[in-house]
Amino acid sequence: MEKKERYLVALDQGTTSSRAIVFSADGKIIASHAEEFPQHYPHPGWVEHDPEDILESQIDALKKAVHLSGIDAGDIAAIGITNQRETTFLWDRQTGKCVGNAIVWQCRRTAEIVEQLIKDGHGDIIREKTGLIPDAYFSGTKLKWLLDTYDLREKAAKGDLCFGTVDSYLCWNLLTDRPHVTDATNAGRTMLFNLKTQDWDEELLALLGIPRACLPKVVDSSGLIGMLDPAILGRPIPVTGMAGDQHASLFGQACWQVGDVKNTYGTGCFMLMNTGDQLIRSENGLLTTMAWRIGGRPTYALEGSVFMGGATIQWLRDEMKMISKASESESLAESVKSTDGVYLVPAMTGLGAPWWDMYSRGTLVGMTRGTGRAHIVRAALEAIAYQSEDLMRAMIRDSGRQPARLQVDGGASANAFLMQFQADISHIPVVRPRVMETTALGAALLAGLGCGLYGGMEEIAHLWEKDLEFTPQMDEETRANSMRGWHRAVERSLNWAERG
Ligand code: ADP
């Protein structure tokens, strides 16, 4: 009898849409579907999601993708979950009803709580234990805010409430027997998880007044988590992979060796380097985070992000009206030989690693009478690459490792000019994979390993395929001069906004 084809499905719950992608066992996309859902901004700086919207859109996306693929649900070997990170849910263990809306990672409502923690001298201990730079971005202070605001500490201590990030919330609602779980990569973004002990940290829980009883059990990123409720696809299907989006993408980019690096060029850029079993404390403003945890063994990573990545191009299009669509930036940049010394520092919302200056602001320097639109558009694309190179240098300094190549994905990695410039300025081959949906692919591969569809890493090694490689061509002198110019421009942008 012929062996029946088996499939893997990735649920990719993102900030603006919930997606599902059906993969064949050899890592090819068979079908996909995305459902957008509304964003809520109840006050300036606040961002929320309605938990019902998250669930409904994710279930719809799953059903539609499977329908579109034409496969039988019985042929799905396993499901993997990947998700927007840090977004915080709190729900009643009996009724499943959420306390208010989910607080989204972007939400700044707990900035003052974080400032107080730092003022009280707790910054170092948070950094030491969690690998994170204390910020409102992470889940810990969001959960504290919910417990404080709704006066729920006692109820939480009795075990009547469940906290979770998106992965937890999906598992609780989509799996039979309602498991209250999170995977180690998501746990690592709460500011409550000790990277070394791989457990919730008592001292941090006490600091934020979080009762352990409301926290999920931390599970591996690959392995059986539970079964999909048969009411959804007509069959119980094992869920055997789970990881936050950037971690899944690192896995889906086949960055399995120590020193492997990927960069995702989306609205912002996210760069992660696999550091193996070594927990590296950054001295250059990077975060230490989980890569994934498999078989109880943690693999760690360094992470850095660029706030204005593809968003710089959106800004040129929507605010400056210099281009009518993002892809136009490529031909315009190529229409001039260089920026003629023009640099754009897109510090519109401050600068992250390695600068960490919230008071820097967007700066355009070096213009002459001959400067035109093409020079500025080119400078904007180059700025995305310069910022990424600053992250890469920080990673090299912290890890002492020189990566052999840079794996890329995300919307702006479609720009060949940008990718070539990245290869030139970083003096490293830049490699774009055939399957650009690396986050979903990562979740699917983690699930495939977790359900035994693949016997081990050797069996998935050939599933990652290269599409294009950009090789460095810039001479060393031009490269050094360009970077020097960029850093001079960054200096001009620093400490600009006046402190209120
Ligand atoms: P996200 O997941 O953050 O929404 P995507 O991966 O979909 O982002 O990428 C969208 C971003 O990529 C936008 O900011 C857009 O400006 C940028 N982008 C898309 N295509 C191009 C292109 N050809 N050149 C430069 N930037 C692009």
Side-chain angles (χ1 to χ4, degrees):
M1 204 178 80
E2 215 179 303
K3 202 172 158 216
K4 238 182 148 200
E5 181 70 82
R6 305 285 279 155
Y7 300 88
L8 294 164
V9 177
L11 304 184
D12 183 357
Q13 205 302 306
T15 310
T16 55
S17 72
S18 300
R19 304 187 316 141
I21 301 189
V22 180
F23 288 94
S24 59
D26 60 357
K28 298 205 168 61
I29 295 178
I30 306 293
S32 74
H33 186 77
E35 289 277 329
E36 289 198 10
F37 55 84
Q39 309 288 314
H40 299 282
Y41 308 105
H43 299 288
W46 290 32
V47 189
E48 296 183 351
H49 289 158
D50 182 337
E52 284 301 315
D53 288 341
I54 299 267
L55 282 181
E56 248 170 61
S57 58
Q58 191 60 75
I59 294 171
D60 283 356
L62 171 60
K63 287 183 174 169
K64 286 186 183 142
V66 172
H67 178 75
L68 279 171
S69 72
I71 66 166
D72 190 281
D75 295 334
I76 302 172
I79 291 176
I81 295 174
T82 181
N83 56 286
Q84 52 163 320
R85 304 178 297 173
E86 298 106 7
T87 296
T88 300
F89 297 72
L90 184 65
W91 65 93
D92 187 296
R93 198 180 288 275
Q94 292 307 316
T95 64
K97 202 171 150 13
C98 279
V99 177
N101 278 339
I103 305 180
V104 177
W105 56 273
Q106 296 150 323
C107 187
R108 303 304 302 169
R109 80 181 64 178
T110 59
E112 278 177 21
I113 303 181
V114 174
E115 269 169 38
Q116 194 59 47
L117 284 171
I118 295 170
K119 243 187 239 155
D120 294 344
H122 302 305
D124 286 349
I125 195 83
I126 293 175
R127 195 143 172 58
E128 167 68 26
K129 291 185 171 211
T130 67
L132 306 173
I133 293 171
D135 196 275
Y137 187 86
F138 306 110
S139 321
T141 58
K142 298 182 197 291
L143 173 56
K144 175 181 165 54
W145 185 92
L146 284 167
L147 294 175
D148 287 344
T149 306
Y150 297 97
D151 195 14
L152 290 169
R153 204 152 263 114
E154 214 173 297
K155 189 170 175 183
K158 277 199 281 181
D160 293 341
L161 287 172
C162 299
F163 151 77
T165 39
V166 172
D167 56 320
S168 307
Y169 192 65
L170 291 178
C171 284
W172 175 272
N173 285 285
L174 305 185
L175 274 52
T176 40
D177 300 330
R178 297 198 175 283
H180 185 208
V181 291
T182 187
D183 98 291
T185 67
N186 278 294
R189 312 296 292 186
T190 57
M191 230 168 77
L192 304 171
F193 187 69
N194 187 315
L195 288 178
K196 205 186 222 162
T197 63
Q198 289 290 299
D199 190 11
W200 305 115
D201 188 274
E202 288 303 337
E203 190 178 352
L204 298 179
L205 296 185
L207 200 58
L208 290 172
I210 311 276
R212 193 180 253 269
C214 70
L215 301 178
K217 179 180 167 211
V218 181
V219 300
D220 282 355
S221 319
S222 184
L224 182 65
I225 295 161
M227 303 299 285
L228 186 78
D229 184 341
I232 299 173
L233 289 179
R235 298 224 178 209
I237 298 165
V239 174
T240 56
M242 196 150 79
D245 51 12
Q246 297 308 322
H247 315 271
S249 143
L250 187 69
F251 197 84
Q253 278 280 21
C255 291
W256 305 323
Q257 307 297 326
V258 180
D260 288 351
V261 185
K262 72 97 192 177
N263 195 19
T264 299
Y265 297 80
T267 310
C269 300
F270 283 92
M271 187 181 284
L272 272 79
M273 175 192 264
N274 180 332
T275 63
D277 56 11
Q278 235 194 318
L279 236 176
I280 296 175
R281 309 285 174 196
S282 175
E283 284 174 15
N284 296 285
L286 301 169
L287 305 181
T288 309
T289 197
M290 300 296 301
W292 44 77
R293 195 173 91 188
I294 300 180
R297 273 192 43 219
T299 298
Y300 298 106
L302 282 169
E303 174 175 324
S305 59
V306 167
F307 301 156
M308 292 281 288
T312 315
I313 306 305
Q314 278 169 315
W315 173 76
L316 286 182
R317 184 193 62 193
D318 302 340
E319 264 67 46
M320 303 309 285
K321 316 274 185 224
M322 283 193 187
I323 47 175
S324 56
K325 55 182 199 294
S327 57
E328 200 188 322
S329 62
E330 184 173 332
S331 51
L332 209 50
E334 275 167 351
S335 73
V336 286
K337 275 212 208 65
S338 79
T339 66
D340 274 348
V342 172
Y343 288 91
L344 171 67
V345 184
M348 284 70 169
T349 55
L351 287 173
W355 313 102
W356 285 115
D357 181 358
M358 292 305 129
Y359 299 95
S360 61
R361 286 296 176 266
T363 305
L364 187 57
V365 291
M367 285 177 291
T368 61
R369 187 63 185 77
T371 299
R373 186 167 69 109
H375 298 102
I376 293 176
V377 170
R378 184 171 173 127
L381 286 170
E382 291 186 358
I384 301 174
Y386 285 130
Q387 293 179 95
S388 299
E389 168 62 2
D390 280 337
L391 291 180
M392 177 106 85
R393 288 185 177 194
M395 284 183 183
I396 293 169
R397 277 200 298 273
D398 280 335
S399 69
R401 285 184 182 269
Q402 188 73 45
R405 56 187 191 171
L406 174 67
Q407 317 274 94
V408 298
D409 53 54
S413 73
N415 191 308
F417 168 78
L418 171 59
M419 294 300 103
Q420 183 58 50
F421 191 76
Q422 187 73 71
D424 287 342
I425 212 67
S426 300
H427 197 63
I428 193 175
V430 166
V431 182
R432 209 163 64 190
R434 192 176 48 76
V435 176
M436 289 276 274
E437 301 288 354
T438 57
T439 304
L441 178 63
L445 294 180
L446 285 166
L449 281 171
C451 74
L453 180 68
Y454 310 122
M457 299 297 281
E458 358 30 272
E459 276 188 42
I460 58 173
H462 69 284
L463 299 183
W464 185 95
E465 279 175 41
K466 176 166 87 180
D467 172 32
L468 266 180
E469 179 162 335
F470 300 85
T471 40
Q473 281 162 7
M474 191 182 272
D475 64 83
E476 194 45 47
E477 193 186 341
T478 312
R479 181 177 170 238
N481 286 338
S482 304
M483 274 318 277
R484 192 160 49 242
W486 163 251
H487 288 146
R488 285 177 63 217
V490 169
E491 267 168 44
R492 301 291 192 280
S493 79
L494 294 176
N495 202 15
W496 178 260
E498 296 195 89
R499 288 154 213 246

